[in-house]
Amino acid sequence: IHVRSVSEARQAWWVNADGSSRFLGESGKISRDGNSQQHRYRTTILDLPADSSKGTLVIYLSSHTYSRAGLFAVPVIQEHEQASRSIYIDLAIRILIVGVGVFVVMQNLIFYAQRPKEKTLLLLVILGFAGLMRGLVASDYFYVFIGDAALFFTISKLEYVLIIWTAIAAVHFFANLCPFKGDVQFVQVNYGILIITILATWLLPMQIVMLYLLVYQSILLFIAASILLIVSNGIIQKMPGSRSLMMSLLPLLLAVCNDIYATYSSQYNLFITEYAMFLFFIVNSQIHASNYLRALKTAEHLSTNLQREVDLKTEELSIRNKILEIKAVDSDLQRDKIEKLSQIDHLTGLFNRKTLDEYSAAQFKYAQKHQLPLSVIMMDID
């Protein structure tokens, strides 16, 4: 018999038709008070006696912690091989999810180390790590591997904290992709909520934490509504990628609502948020990884073309400089020629009247300054 979602510590007995009973197993340690009582995780497989043809399954609950105690899902009767096969398949799926999740987290971390300006990659790493930790702690197998019933409350509190941390990491991620006025302050407020949640969850007794389960769910609904508004604002502002972001977000929000409903339902016990979270994380990681690789290719292409362009421009400038040098020399020659032509009579080759006036003025000025005699000899040569 596969028994799921049994709150509190419990013992299971099989009562035969003749009134005799047989102990099938227990979860934790049943006690008369809540302080000494110990829990294990709720999911359990009970092996019914093979030599009994008819009887009654009796599950005895010792209720001290939960506000609602009892059986919250219908037990499933299966052949032992079929039940084992289901467990192994589920375990293989979870191992695959964790393995792929760890790989993607490391991939984004490496990309971020190579390109620290891409803050989105770091936020994806934080979101993925929180989601993986939450899925790992919430799974049946984690409790099986830990094996210590005394740690049940500690692990349960850790699961509550990780749920809120994952949600707030998602707020930070979406606010970075779809920025809005006051987004920094809003993210800071959310992290303040996370700190308060951590302190309250860790310091309060588990009985009080369970009593205020609705508060945790209200925080989740508030965060989900905030994320929806952030992405909707991005669509209104026509931010790039906001529409595809909304398409990947909606299944996750529906999964959160599904799990909240499943928590309160006695007939419906399908929890899918961790699978939806994994799908969302993988899809967005691959989108941003593709953008990152595309940016690298563009940068490499631009770098190659830029070097070629620089070489061409350098060669062109070298040619221009040579041309300018030639023109400068030619210009000096032309200037000297023009100056000489302005001083000499083109018919006789002698200095002209303009040159005589300039030279005479200079000589007279020099003679006057130094009190020297000055003579002028004039010849008429025909």
Side-chain angles (χ1 to χ4, degrees):
I1 296 186
H2 185 209
V3 182
R4 182 173 175 82
S5 297
V6 180
S7 65
E8 304 290 356
R10 51 113 183 97
Q11 287 183 345
W13 298 80
W14 181 257
V15 180
N16 290 310
D18 59 5
S20 61
S21 61
R22 186 177 303 184
F23 179 68
L24 299 181
E26 62 182 342
S27 172
K29 174 186 175 184
I30 288 179
S31 174
R32 292 184 178 274
D33 60 88
N35 294 327
S36 56
Q37 180 164 292
Q38 295 179 351
H39 293 223
R40 289 187 188 274
Y41 197 63
R42 295 178 294 274
T43 300
T44 306
I45 288 184
L46 302 173
D47 288 327
L48 298 182
D51 56 353
S52 178
S53 59
K54 188 177 181 182
T56 304
L57 174 66
V58 179
I59 299 178
Y60 175 76
L61 296 180
S62 176
S63 178
H64 292 290
T65 304
Y66 293 80
S67 57
R68 300 183 307 150
L71 190 65
F72 293 97
V74 178
V76 178
I77 302 177
Q78 291 179 316
E79 292 292 336
H80 195 279
E81 291 183 0
Q82 183 181 357
S84 299
R85 190 182 306 113
S86 300
I87 292 175
Y88 293 143
I89 292 174
D90 183 64
L91 178 60
I93 292 174
R94 289 181 180 272
I95 290 175
L96 177 63
I97 289 176
V98 172
V100 174
V102 170
F103 170 78
V104 175
V105 167
M106 294 304 298
Q107 171 186 275
N108 285 287
L109 191 60
I110 292 172
F111 286 165
Y112 174 73
Q114 294 176 346
R115 197 178 178 90
K117 291 183 179 180
E118 294 290 341
K119 186 180 177 182
T120 303
L121 295 173
L122 178 61
L123 295 178
L124 260 177
V125 170
I126 297 174
L127 177 59
F129 177 77
L132 283 174
M133 287 297 296
R134 189 265 169 188
L136 181 64
V137 172
S139 68
D140 302 11
Y141 309 103
F142 185 77
Y143 286 85
V144 173
F145 293 142
I146 294 299
D148 189 353
L151 295 176
F152 178 85
F153 288 157
T154 302
I155 297 173
S156 297
K157 288 184 176 183
L158 180 60
E159 180 183 351
Y160 275 57
V161 170
L162 286 171
I163 291 173
I164 303 299
W165 182 26
T166 304
I168 290 176
V171 170
H172 199 173
F173 172 74
F174 285 108
N176 180 73
L177 288 178
C178 302
F180 56 94
K181 185 177 180 181
D183 54 354
V184 176
Q185 292 77 8
F186 182 75
V187 171
Q188 290 174 347
V189 169
N190 276 269
Y191 277 108
I193 293 174
L194 175 61
I195 293 173
I196 294 172
T197 303
I198 292 174
L199 293 175
T201 304
W202 225 253
L203 297 177
L204 291 176
M206 192 62 190
Q207 291 85 347
I208 303 298
V209 173
M210 292 302 305
L211 186 63
Y212 289 97
L213 176 62
L214 183 61
V215 175
Y216 291 86
Q217 294 171 339
S218 299
I219 293 174
L220 281 178
L221 288 176
F222 167 75
I223 294 174
S226 301
I227 292 174
L228 190 60
L229 288 175
I230 290 171
V231 181
S232 299
N233 178 69
I235 294 175
I236 294 173
Q237 300 297 327
K238 297 182 178 179
M239 296 179 182
S242 56
R243 291 185 178 274
S244 59
L245 197 61
M246 177 64 80
M247 295 299 293
S248 64
L249 173 64
L250 287 177
L252 181 59
L253 294 179
L254 292 175
V256 171
C257 295
N258 171 85
D259 283 14
I260 292 177
Y261 172 74
T263 302
Y264 288 97
S265 174
S266 59
Q267 300 296 325
Y268 182 76
N269 297 98
L270 180 62
F271 295 87
I272 59 174
T273 295
E274 60 182 300
Y275 300 104
M277 182 69 193
F278 172 77
L279 182 62
F280 171 83
F281 175 62
I282 292 295
V283 169
N284 280 274
S285 292
Q286 295 313 304
I287 290 174
H288 290 284
S290 299
N291 293 339
Y292 170 77
L293 293 175
R294 193 181 302 115
L296 282 182
K297 290 181 180 179
T298 302
E300 183 180 355
H301 177 72
L302 291 175
S303 177
T304 303
N305 288 345
L306 180 62
Q307 186 60 45
R308 187 181 298 113
E309 189 71 20
V310 168
D311 293 340
L312 290 174
K313 291 295 183 183
T314 302
E315 184 179 355
E316 183 180 344
L317 286 174
S318 177
I319 295 173
R320 286 177 180 270
N321 286 336
K322 290 179 180 179
I323 294 173
L324 289 174
E325 288 175 2
I326 295 172
K327 286 185 176 181
V329 172
D330 186 61
S331 178
D332 291 341
L333 294 174
Q334 292 291 334
R335 186 177 63 252
D336 293 342
K337 183 177 180 180
I338 292 172
E339 185 177 354
K340 189 174 182 179
L341 289 174
S342 68
Q343 295 174 346
I344 298 175
D345 178 66
H346 69 282
L347 180 62
T348 62
L350 301 175
F351 287 121
N352 59 18
R353 172 65 181 267
K354 176 177 176 293
T355 306
L356 176 64
D357 289 342
E358 292 176 353
Y359 183 74
S360 299
Q363 290 299 318
F364 273 106
K365 186 176 180 180
Y366 183 81
Q368 289 175 350
K369 181 178 180 180
H370 297 282
Q371 297 296 312
L372 296 174
L374 179 65
S375 301
V376 178
I377 300 174
M378 300 184 67
M379 298 180 187
D380 183 15
I381 301 175
D382 292 330

